[in-house]
Amino acid sequence: MDAIVLGGGLMGTASAYFLTRRGVRVTLIERGRIGAGATVASFGNIRRSGRHLSQLPLAARSLAIWNEAETLLGRDVEFRPTGHLRLIFDADSLQDMRSYAQAAQAQGLVLDELDPAELHARFPGIGPDAIAASFSPRDGSANPRLIGPAFAYAAARAGASVIDEAPVSDIRSTGTGFTVETAKGTFHAARLLNCAGAWGRAIAARFGEDVPLETWGPQMAVTEPLPHRIAPVVGVWSQAHGAYLRQVERGNVVFGGAVDRVRVEEEPGYAKPDPARLPAQVAAVLQLVPALADVAIIRQWSGCEGYVADALPVMGPSGTTPGLFHAFGFCGHGFQLGPGVGSAMAELIATGQCETPLEDFSITRFAA
């Protein structure tokens, strides 16, 4: 093989797909089931607004792929560009939004500012106490349960070898490439891409690269099915960790945020929601849509996510080992970026360069 991709979440499966499209022979190795880690626990948010400015070129690259996903993958992954609405409840947040919008416009992201009258006319029943809102009309959501398997299937159809339920026992550099020993055999390749998510830090550490990363789980829940009334993804523009929600086409309202994440041990990496935090989370959700007050909540869940100390991901070549590349640590907001990450890493690995700027995400920023 020309390349081994470690990690069968959205980043890994998208990377395997785009590498294969470039003629690179790929083996994709996942310790569990494809798409069953942090990806499937995601909210499904396709959001550019509020991202660190350095991420916006990558987010734009990714959005272009989301818009073509059904054609590329041969199946509907439920990407819907319904728009992303962020409610504003105080003057400081309004000023912060305006400053961000001005800076982001240079990166091609245009945010519409809505006053209360415009907000209530366009989105009745949402944010009745909001003093303003931002709206990003081209953003939206997709189904986290569908996207990882869809990329993996498309990669396999294009010629990639996909190996799941294959825990890794050893990884080493051979001087001419890499050897990865797993429960399903030993694999060799000239290049290695670390897309192991919350476990990416441990893989990087094998090659002398330490990343200040911790593992946490979001608090997510979903309601019973309801008549469909909420078109956009809804969140809050605030320095605090606000609530967010979206209504899927089947009628359920998925929500998260507003409360602290749950600490998750890296091994075995199983995240569990804390039911004691649900009342505070529901109260925050009702500030966004009061009509949800009497709705039944049918499920809670969490997932193991990797959060880097500076809140930016790790992407690009290793600083210590030729042929090694990283794409992990997306801090709970990598879902939108996933297809773009796969495309960018494939370009970098196949050609040695990338048209999308990745310098701010280099692992070498943590070198002593």
Side-chain angles (χ1 to χ4, degrees):
M1 288 290 121
D2 298 322
I4 292 172
V5 177
L6 290 178
L10 176 51
M11 309 301 173
T13 56
S15 296
Y17 170 74
F18 285 109
L19 280 166
T20 303
R21 279 173 54 106
R22 287 180 174 270
V24 178
R25 296 174 301 165
V26 176
T27 298
L28 173 66
I29 300 173
E30 163 57 35
R31 59 184 254 160
R33 300 298 297 271
I34 295 295
T39 299
V40 78
S42 169
F43 174 66
N45 206 356
I46 309 298
R47 172 186 63 83
R48 292 172 299 155
S49 77
R51 287 189 176 277
H52 194 278
L53 294 174
S54 65
Q55 293 186 12
L56 289 180
L58 182 61
R61 180 173 187 155
S62 198
L63 183 62
I65 300 170
W66 279 111
N67 278 289
E68 299 176 2
E70 185 170 355
T71 300
L72 287 174
L73 303 176
R75 61 179 68 181
D76 181 14
V77 295
E78 298 182 7
F79 168 64
R80 303 290 185 265
T82 56
H84 193 279
L85 181 71
R86 300 188 72 181
L87 303 173
I88 300 169
F89 294 97
D90 62 86
D92 288 344
S93 296
L94 177 57
Q95 183 56 49
D96 183 58
M97 185 277 291
R98 288 171 174 169
S99 297
Y100 179 87
Q102 184 176 10
Q105 191 165 2
Q107 300 277 11
L109 173 60
V110 177
L111 298 179
D112 300 332
E113 180 181 330
L114 308 182
D115 63 26
E118 292 170 316
L119 170 63
H120 302 148
R122 294 181 62 177
F123 305 106
I126 297 178
D129 297 327
I131 65 170
S134 71
F135 186 61
S136 179
R138 295 179 57 216
D139 291 338
S141 63
N143 192 329
R145 294 181 176 275
L146 301 179
I147 189 64
F151 266 119
Y153 179 80
R157 191 174 56 205
S161 177
V162 178
I163 314 295
D164 66 350
E165 297 186 289
V168 174
S169 57
D170 188 39
I171 307 170
R172 59 184 180 273
S173 173
T174 64
T176 58
F178 299 87
T179 295
V180 179
E181 296 182 6
T182 79
K184 288 190 173 179
T186 299
F187 303 90
H188 311 276
R191 287 160 287 185
L192 178 68
L193 173 57
N194 170 18
C195 291
W199 297 270
R201 176 183 182 177
I203 294 172
R206 289 174 177 262
F207 299 94
E209 298 183 288
D210 187 33
V211 175
L213 178 147
E214 296 182 344
T215 47
W216 297 86
Q219 294 280 105
M220 305 295 301
V222 63
T223 74
E224 62 182 320
L226 304 165
H228 200 282
R229 296 289 187 270
I230 306 171
V233 178
V234 183
V236 179
W237 198 291
S238 172
Q239 295 298 323
H241 186 42
Y244 45 84
L245 62 88
R246 66 185 179 95
Q247 188 173 24
V248 303
E249 292 174 351
R250 291 167 292 281
N252 309 78
V253 176
V254 182
F255 63 88
V259 295
D260 291 338
R261 299 175 180 92
V262 179
R263 188 75 172 89
V264 182
E265 294 301 323
E266 186 176 312
E267 293 297 340
Y270 296 128
K272 296 181 180 180
D274 180 2
R277 306 184 191 200
L278 184 59
Q281 193 170 40
V282 169
V285 167
L286 294 182
Q287 185 182 30
L288 310 186
V289 185
L292 297 175
D294 297 322
V295 173
I297 297 167
I298 61 175
R299 186 166 67 91
Q300 286 184 274
W301 70 92
S302 185
C304 185
E305 298 176 333
Y307 290 81
V308 182
D310 63 4
L312 292 176
V314 174
M315 280 185 71
S318 164
T320 64
T321 309
L324 173 64
F325 298 84
H326 302 289
F328 68 93
F330 288 87
C331 307
H333 50 245
F335 187 77
Q336 191 277 349
L337 298 176
V341 170
S343 175
M345 294 307 299
E347 180 188 4
L348 179 63
I349 292 169
T351 70
Q353 56 190 357
C354 183
E355 66 179 14
T356 302
L358 303 177
E359 292 78 12
D360 286 349
F361 315 137
S362 172
I363 198 169
T364 59
R365 70 187 191 270
F366 302 115

